[in-house]
Amino acid sequence: MVSVAEMSEITSPTVVNQTAPMPNPANPKVERGMIEIEQLDFAYGTNKVLHDINLSIPARAVTAFIGPSGCGKTTLLRCLNRMNDLIDSARITQGSIRIEGVDINASSVDVVDLRRRVGMVFQKSNPFPKSIYDNVAYGLRIAGTTKRTLIDEAVEKSLRSAALWDEVKDRLHVSGYGLSGGQQQRLCIARALAVEPEIVLMDEPCSALDPIATAKVEELIRQLKEQYTIVIVTHNMQQAGRCSDHTAFFYLGRLIEFDDTTKIFSNPGQRQTEEYITGRFG
């Protein structure tokens, strides 16, 4: 949960309220996306933290959310699979989020199924106190899969997809806690992939990793976009530039600019975006 301190304003240029409907007219190549966010406002109690967010996130690509701490990146990310439902007083006060045309906050939506379709990898690796095998198989068993051959196939497939199989295939029944930090994060990615999601959300997935582990996770992200829609929150400008196809810049709960990553980093359309990317504030 975003703290009150994080949401406090910091000194910076005046914010331009981005209110134009998506797709972004500055980027006509981005058409109707897999995820459509329209006029979204979100609040923790009386504290409004997202303001009139309009964003179209395309399928099978990497979209990065960037911006200073407390600007609403993680809050918006957690809206995409309703993780904010777990926080008292957190609520959408206006607008909608649609995935493949379906309003994910409709009363008819099965939240458990939504979170299967929209997997999440957190900032800090969080393997369960189980074996490597059981970590990956956990979601399958919860979903009712009991046939051992199906679970075996899914575990191997997921670990291969997470570029971890060759490193752990001979110790699948060893605790996941015995892996290095980078391996644990890839294990968590494998666990998310095992239930065959359509979308994978990543909240600062490399923030606690060393450069070598970070490079492996970044390469994995680039490979996974061939099969999945990926949304990543990052404070690392270089990482956003390396990994993402599209970048959204947020400031004080507002979407300032959204475009192709190359355009955002080489020729941003808003002064605030340029000043943040060049390190003049944030």
Side-chain angles (χ1 to χ4, degrees):
M1 177 175 175
V2 179
S3 68
V4 174
E6 286 179 320
M7 292 309 304
S8 61
E9 295 191 6
I10 62 175
T11 302
S12 75
T14 303
V15 175
V16 174
N17 185 5
Q18 189 276 337
T19 58
M22 301 303 292
N24 188 336
N27 185 12
K29 293 180 291 183
V30 179
E31 300 176 353
R32 183 173 179 84
M34 184 171 190
I35 305 171
E36 294 286 338
I37 304 168
E38 297 180 356
Q39 297 181 321
L40 187 75
D41 290 356
F42 188 90
Y44 295 111
T46 60
N47 183 25
K48 190 174 178 181
V49 296
L50 293 176
H51 307 264
D52 195 29
I53 305 296
N54 293 280
L55 183 60
S56 179
I57 298 176
R60 296 198 176 184
V62 181
T63 298
F65 291 175
I66 65 172
S69 295
C71 69
K73 305 182 301 294
T74 293
T75 293
L76 181 59
L77 191 78
R78 291 170 63 95
C79 285
L80 302 182
N81 66 349
R82 292 180 57 176
M83 286 292 289
N84 288 321
D85 289 9
L86 305 174
I87 301 172
D88 291 340
S89 79
R91 70 195 191 285
I92 290 174
T93 58
Q94 176 182 294
S96 66
I97 299 173
R98 296 180 178 274
I99 295 179
E100 295 188 316
V102 176
D103 185 345
I104 66 170
N105 291 288
S107 58
S108 58
V109 169
D110 183 333
V111 179
V112 174
D113 182 63
L114 172 68
R115 291 177 185 153
R116 181 200 64 77
R117 294 178 60 207
V118 187
M120 190 160 191
V121 178
F122 296 91
Q123 181 174 359
K124 184 178 179 181
S125 58
N126 59 338
F128 299 146
K130 299 175 180 290
S131 69
I132 295 168
Y133 181 99
D134 287 338
N135 262 275
V136 182
Y138 183 82
L140 296 166
R141 289 170 173 154
I142 291 295
T145 302
T146 57
K147 191 172 181 180
R148 182 60 183 255
T149 54
L150 293 178
I151 295 176
D152 286 348
E153 290 172 4
V155 167
E156 179 174 348
K157 178 182 177 182
S158 300
L159 288 170
R160 285 188 182 279
S161 295
L164 192 57
W165 173 255
D166 290 339
E167 297 171 41
V168 303
K169 62 184 179 182
D170 296 324
R171 46 179 176 146
L172 292 177
H173 299 289
V174 172
S175 171
Y177 289 156
L179 299 176
S180 69
Q183 288 174 323
Q184 286 188 18
Q185 191 65 300
R186 282 184 285 148
L187 175 62
C188 293
I189 293 172
R191 188 175 65 199
L193 298 181
V195 294
E196 299 186 337
E198 300 161 36
I199 299 166
V200 179
L201 311 177
M202 297 185 174
D203 185 10
E204 296 272 9
C206 302
S207 64
L209 304 182
D210 62 54
I212 294 175
T214 294
K216 289 184 178 180
V217 172
E218 288 181 359
E219 176 59 29
L220 175 58
I221 291 170
R222 287 189 287 268
Q223 293 172 6
L224 291 177
K225 74 176 182 181
E226 297 179 7
Q227 302 177 60
Y228 305 95
T229 300
I230 298 175
V231 185
I232 179 172
V233 166
T234 180
H235 281 101
N236 187 320
M237 296 299 97
Q238 291 77 19
Q239 183 172 83
R242 289 190 297 262
C243 291
S244 68
D245 302 290
H246 311 283
T247 296
F249 170 58
F250 295 86
Y251 181 69
L252 294 179
R254 298 184 186 277
L255 174 61
I256 305 302
E257 187 170 0
F258 175 65
D259 213 319
D260 290 346
T261 295
T262 52
K263 170 74 165 53
I264 290 286
F265 281 88
S266 63
N267 186 27
Q270 297 293 334
R271 179 168 55 91
Q272 291 91 340
T273 310
E274 180 182 4
E275 292 184 345
Y276 180 73
I277 287 172
T278 56
R280 276 178 261 175
F281 81 95

